[in-house]
Every structure is written in C-alpha cells, then in structure tokens.
Amino acid sequence: MKKNRPLILITNDDGISAPGLRALISVMAELGEIVVVAPDTPQSAMGHAITINSTLYLNKISKDNDPFLEYSCSGTPVDCVKLAVNEILKRKPDLCVSGVNHGSNSSINVIYSGTMSAAVEAGIEGIPAIGFSLLDYDWNADFDTIKSFIRKISVEVLQNGLPDGVVLNVNFPKLKEEDIKGIRISRQAKAIWVEKFDKRKTPQGRDYYWLAGEFVNQDKGEDTDEWVLENGFVSVVPVQFDLTAHHAIQQLNTWKWNE
Amino acid sequence: MKKNRPLILITNDDGISAPGLRALISVMAELGEIVVVAPDTPQSAMGHAITINSTLYLNKISKDNDPFLEYSCSGTPVDCVKLAVNEILKRKPDLCVSGVNHGSNSSINVIYSGTMSAAVEAGIEGIPAIGFSLLDYDWNADFDTIKSFIRKISVEVLQNGLPDGVVLNVNFPKLKEEDIKGIRISRQAKAIWVEKFDKRKTPQGRDYYWLAGEFVNQDKGEDTDEWVLENGFVSVVPVQFDLTAHHAIQQLNTWKWNE
C-alpha cells in the first residue's frame, strides 16, 4: 500500500441511499481517503449505458465539515465514474469499488449489471476496480457479515494492483460470516435467463409487458462462480473488457470471406 | 442454408425510423423471412441495459398485407431481442442482425453500443448474430455501398453458423464500394475515450454537463479493427460474452486470499 492514504472512488447502481453503498463506505473509510459519486435513483440492469443524448447533473451531498466528499449524479453508474474521474477527483484514484449490490451479479448477470459496468469503466480508465454483490435482494440485507472479506480483497488489490485489463467481480453468498468457507477465484458460469414476460393490460386496455424470468444454470463445472457460491465460498471472477473471442479468429479465417 | 427460407430477426439502436435499419431490411428481405423489432426512440450508447423497473410496450407497425412483421418497442435494444424471441417469433430465428448503426462500434465502442448489445443478447440466447456499423454518423449516410458486404457476411453465417458463444462485430469504413479492399477478421483495438465534459449553466443558473470526449488509440497492432478500417477493409471482430479473464486466473490464485 502507498505511504500516503490511498484515494478510493466509491459508486454503485442501487443509488446514493442504498444500504449496500453505506456498508462499502464504512469499510473503505478505514482504508483510505474516499470520494462517493453514486446515481440519484436506482440504476439496476443499466449495463454499460452512458448518457449522450441528455444532460447530466451532479449534486454535492456532503457538507464542508464532513469527513469525505459525496455526490449524487443524475446519470448511470458509468456516467458516475466518468464524472468523478474528470470533474471531481484531483488525481487518478488508487482503487474504485462499486456496490455492494443488493443481489447477485454472478454468471451472465455481469453483462446486465450497472454495478459491474461501473467497475469495468474504471478498469478501462486504468484504475484498479472491484464490483461487490451480495446474494440477497433485501433492502435491509445484513452487510456486516461480509465486511471483513470486502476489506481483505480491497487490501490485496491496493497492495498488488490488478493484471492489465482486468477488474474483479466479487459475489458473496447469503450466509453468516462464520459459515463462509473462504474466497475462491472462479470463472463465469455458462448460465442464462429464460424469460417469461408478464403480459398485462393498462386501465385503458393497452397491452404492456413486465420483464420476468428464471435463471437457468446448465454449467456443472466446479470452477464456476455459481458452484463456488452454492458451496459457501466468496466468488472472485477476473473480468475483462477486451471482448474479442481470440480463440475464434483462426477458425473464422478459414472461411471464404473475399471470394 | 436451410431448405426453408431462414427466419431473420432484425433490430438496431438508432430506432425504428433509422435509414441504417431500412438498409439492413432491404438486404435481409432477399435472404429469408424477416421480422423487425426495433426501439421506438433512439437508444444509442445504452449498452446492455434492460428494462426491469418499468413497463414495456410493443406497437405493431406493419399492416396485414405487408410482406413482413414490424414492431416498435418502448425499451432498449436488448429488450427488443427478448420480446421478439419470447412474445413475437414462433420459433428461434436462424439469424439476428442489428444495425446498420450510424457510426462506429469498433474498439472499446463495442461495450457502450446498443447495436452490439442486441447482437450479444441474441448470442446469449443461442442465435447466430451479427452487429453492423458504418463509420459515418450522418443520418443520410450512403448505405448502398456496403450492401454487398452485408449480404456476403450474412450468407456465410447462415451457411456455417458461428462458434459457440461468439457473435460478430462488423464495422465498415466510410468508402465507396469499389474502394473497399475486402473483409478482414480482426481484434478489438486497445483504445479509449478521453472524456472532456462540457460544463454549462441552465437558464436558472444550475450547473449541468454534456458528455463529450476524444477517441484515443494507442494500439499500433496491424491486426486490430482500427488498423483494418483505416486501411480500407471491412472489420469483422468475433465477440464473446464470457467476460472471464481466463489468463488472469492462475496469477490471482497465487495471492494469499485465505490467510
């Protein structure tokens, strides 16, 4: 860890008032100087959306005597990171943490997740970054049970940095602290959501839909995030933003593209 | 290609009225039975956002005697794919094409792109999928110059399928047809957007921001999408939605996670 206190940017996708964010703040305040920039409204499932056709507002929430800077932002989680880095922070932070999300971002959920997209955006900007999620959708979930793990993982990343182009997707099982078996590096399980739209009618008789669905995991691997979580471990998946399927390039080059 | 006419789902992120979508429809109508489900408003830069806290509307645009089904949707590009597959189409389509986007989705743009997220969503659902983008932001861009390439690439995918877990990100240079040198399989260049927010004041005196930025490519590789496009080729990048940085797992396993 650096001699000076590290600078830590904190964001999330459940919004500035979420208990999961407050839990993350309480851990990070012990590790460094913190700045919070979080959405002013819930932004779950926003993926890597950014605001380009509308204006963005920043509201300073903290007062002059408060121990840290805190802002709410009218945009998405990714907007929060961009605004923090470019308009608020005086230097590049040593760490960006996002969450703690109220609910899972394991497996394919990583791709829909605003929490993880904020961490990925920080990674794109060259900042070591971690997204934290707890497998409990309850607004009043117990985040105290996972604080020691959040601290441990964050200290490791502050000390070691992260491999180039990699951010961490950390998911916690819904267990008491003493029942969590440890931390496991894992891979994204090949699972999907099988959608079942809920079709209804407005009072005026117009059809509308609610997106609903069932999570289906057909990946039986014992090295997946789903297996690790089901078996009582904290899952840490290294996530990359080079989306190139390098393994497919050779095969595609055998096709007759230019004949 | 199957004996029956293939079923092709068409979507985009610039919205149902975009000329790029019309260009794509005109090519696909020659290749199979088509169904169009596109956002009712522009959804650029929506990434992989889905609508979970709000209702979704579908509007049937086509009339009974029209040659194909066409719907507009109140949601994001990913919502369009989910609704099409689950509520409109009677069977899984043989191909999903998204675009043609008005502007580049090469390099890191793939991660912000609604066009590509729609294709990725189709890929997640097991449908061979291609996102098409033209490096011309003009609403009245000339899409005729690229139609023969769109046709060629789509026919290849209909004939061969795609490797498991892979979708194609196709970008076209802004060139006349005769000046395009051919098709190249490439990889996502390591480039980023360097943001410069434009800070303004509302008539009431409140600060607000417009997201602006400059695209900076420091990746000099001649196998990148950026190089290929600058040198007059069509870029085809195989894109995956397993975000696991598999190469980083071994290194992370050397850390002292459980001590």
Side-chain angles (χ1 to χ4, degrees):
Chain A
M1 208 170 311
K2 304 201 177 179
K3 282 181 186 169
N4 296 329
R5 297 198 84 199
L7 178 60
I8 303 173
L9 172 63
I10 308 178
T11 189
N12 78 344
D13 78 348
D14 290 316
I16 193 80
S17 61
L21 180 70
R22 297 295 135 190
L24 197 51
I25 290 170
S26 74
V27 178
M28 294 303 141
E30 296 174 6
L31 298 182
E33 180 192 347
I34 63 175
V35 175
V36 179
V37 185
D40 58 13
T41 53
Q43 296 279 324
S44 290
M46 281 305 282
H48 214 94
I50 52 174
T51 303
I52 57 169
N53 291 320
S54 180
T55 55
L56 288 165
Y57 291 92
L58 268 180
N59 287 304
K60 192 174 172 189
I61 306 278
S62 50
K63 307 297 175 204
D64 285 350
N65 291 330
D66 285 352
F68 58 86
L69 280 173
E70 185 171 347
Y71 293 82
S72 71
C73 166
S74 62
T76 67
V78 174
D79 291 329
C80 289
V81 172
K82 286 183 183 286
L83 274 165
V85 168
N86 291 285
E87 294 292 322
I88 299 171
L89 298 172
K90 290 186 178 129
R91 65 176 180 92
K92 187 190 270 196
D94 301 295
L95 178 66
C96 173
V97 290
S98 179
V100 180
N101 193 59
H102 292 243
S104 169
N105 281 317
S106 61
S107 183
I108 197 67
N109 296 304
V110 65
I111 215 164
Y112 304 99
S113 161
T115 301
M116 277 309 299
S117 291
V120 165
E121 179 62 27
I124 291 170
E125 305 206 16
I127 303 161
I130 316 168
F132 294 105
S133 306
L134 174 61
L135 273 62
D136 187 342
Y137 291 87
D138 193 331
W139 194 251
N140 298 309
D142 182 5
F143 292 97
D144 285 341
T145 63
I146 60 171
K147 283 184 176 175
S148 67
F149 293 99
I150 292 174
R151 184 188 168 90
K152 169 84 181 162
I153 294 166
S154 302
V155 168
E156 286 286 327
V157 172
L158 281 167
Q159 284 176 341
N160 299 317
L162 280 171
D164 216 28
V166 169
V167 303
L168 298 186
N169 181 18
V170 178
N171 283 267
F172 297 99
K174 184 182 170 181
L175 290 173
K176 291 180 189 162
E177 186 173 359
E178 59 268 30
D179 294 332
I180 296 179
K181 290 183 187 160
I183 296 168
R184 281 274 182 99
I185 309 298
S186 60
R187 66 170 174 85
Q188 175 185 327
K190 290 185 180 110
I192 58 165
W193 285 91
V194 175
E195 259 75 46
K196 287 181 186 156
F197 282 91
D198 186 354
K199 187 173 178 179
R200 300 183 185 183
K201 278 194 191 295
T202 67
Q204 291 75 32
R206 184 177 174 201
D207 289 334
Y208 69 96
Y209 300 86
W210 282 106
L211 177 56
E214 188 190 358
F215 185 72
V216 178
N217 179 19
Q218 296 182 317
D219 188 336
K220 302 296 178 207
E222 297 192 356
D223 57 345
T224 68
D225 48 5
E226 291 300 318
W227 188 94
V228 157
L229 289 160
E230 276 164 28
N231 286 275
F233 294 91
V234 177
S235 162
V236 177
V237 176
V239 164
Q240 61 190 352
F241 41 86
D242 175 4
L243 304 189
T244 311
H246 291 278
H247 66 279
I249 287 180
Q250 195 176 0
Q251 182 181 344
L252 289 173
N253 268 325
T254 65
W255 293 16
K256 303 193 188 321
W257 294 105
N258 294 303
E259 288 176 11
Chain B
M1 208 171 310
K2 305 202 177 177
K3 282 181 188 170
N4 296 331
R5 295 198 84 198
L7 177 60
I8 303 173
L9 171 63
I10 308 179
T11 189
N12 77 344
D13 78 348
D14 290 315
I16 191 82
S17 61
L21 179 70
R22 295 297 135 187
L24 197 50
I25 290 170
S26 74
V27 178
M28 295 304 141
E30 296 174 6
L31 299 182
E33 180 192 347
I34 64 176
V35 175
V36 179
V37 185
D40 57 15
T41 53
Q43 295 280 324
S44 290
M46 281 305 282
H48 214 94
I50 51 175
T51 303
I52 58 170
N53 291 320
S54 182
T55 54
L56 287 166
Y57 292 91
L58 268 180
N59 287 305
K60 191 174 173 191
I61 306 278
S62 49
K63 307 296 175 205
D64 285 348
N65 290 331
D66 285 351
F68 57 87
L69 280 173
E70 185 170 348
Y71 293 82
S72 70
C73 167
S74 64
T76 66
V78 174
D79 291 328
C80 289
V81 172
K82 286 183 183 288
L83 275 165
V85 169
N86 291 285
E87 294 292 323
I88 299 172
L89 298 172
K90 289 186 180 130
R91 65 176 180 92
K92 188 190 272 197
D94 301 294
L95 177 68
C96 172
V97 290
S98 179
V100 179
N101 192 58
H102 292 242
S104 170
N105 281 318
S106 61
S107 182
I108 197 66
N109 296 305
V110 65
I111 215 163
Y112 303 98
S113 163
T115 302
M116 277 309 298
S117 292
V120 166
E121 179 63 27
I124 292 170
E125 305 206 18
I127 303 161
I130 316 168
F132 293 104
S133 305
L134 173 62
L135 271 63
D136 187 341
Y137 290 86
D138 194 331
W139 194 251
N140 297 310
D142 181 5
F143 292 97
D144 286 340
T145 63
I146 60 172
K147 283 183 176 175
S148 66
F149 292 99
I150 293 174
R151 183 187 168 90
K152 168 84 180 162
I153 294 165
S154 301
V155 167
E156 285 287 327
V157 171
L158 281 167
Q159 284 177 340
N160 298 317
L162 280 171
D164 216 28
V166 169
V167 303
L168 299 185
N169 181 18
V170 178
N171 282 268
F172 297 99
K174 185 182 168 181
L175 289 172
K176 290 180 188 161
E177 186 173 359
E178 60 267 30
D179 294 334
I180 296 178
K181 289 182 188 160
I183 296 168
R184 281 274 183 98
I185 308 298
S186 60
R187 67 171 173 85
Q188 176 185 327
K190 291 186 179 109
I192 59 165
W193 284 91
V194 175
E195 260 74 46
K196 285 179 186 158
F197 282 92
D198 186 354
K199 188 174 179 179
R200 301 183 185 184
K201 277 193 191 297
T202 67
Q204 291 76 31
R206 185 176 173 202
D207 290 334
Y208 69 95
Y209 300 86
W210 283 106
L211 176 56
E214 187 190 358
F215 185 71
V216 178
N217 179 19
Q218 295 182 317
D219 188 336
K220 302 296 179 207
E222 298 192 356
D223 57 345
T224 68
D225 48 5
E226 291 301 318
W227 189 93
V228 157
L229 289 160
E230 277 164 27
N231 286 275
F233 295 91
V234 177
S235 163
V236 177
V237 177
V239 164
Q240 62 190 351
F241 41 86
D242 174 4
L243 304 190
T244 311
H246 291 279
H247 66 279
I249 287 179
Q250 195 176 2
Q251 181 180 343
L252 289 173
N253 269 325
T254 66
W255 293 17
K256 304 193 189 319
W257 294 105
N258 295 304
E259 289 177 10

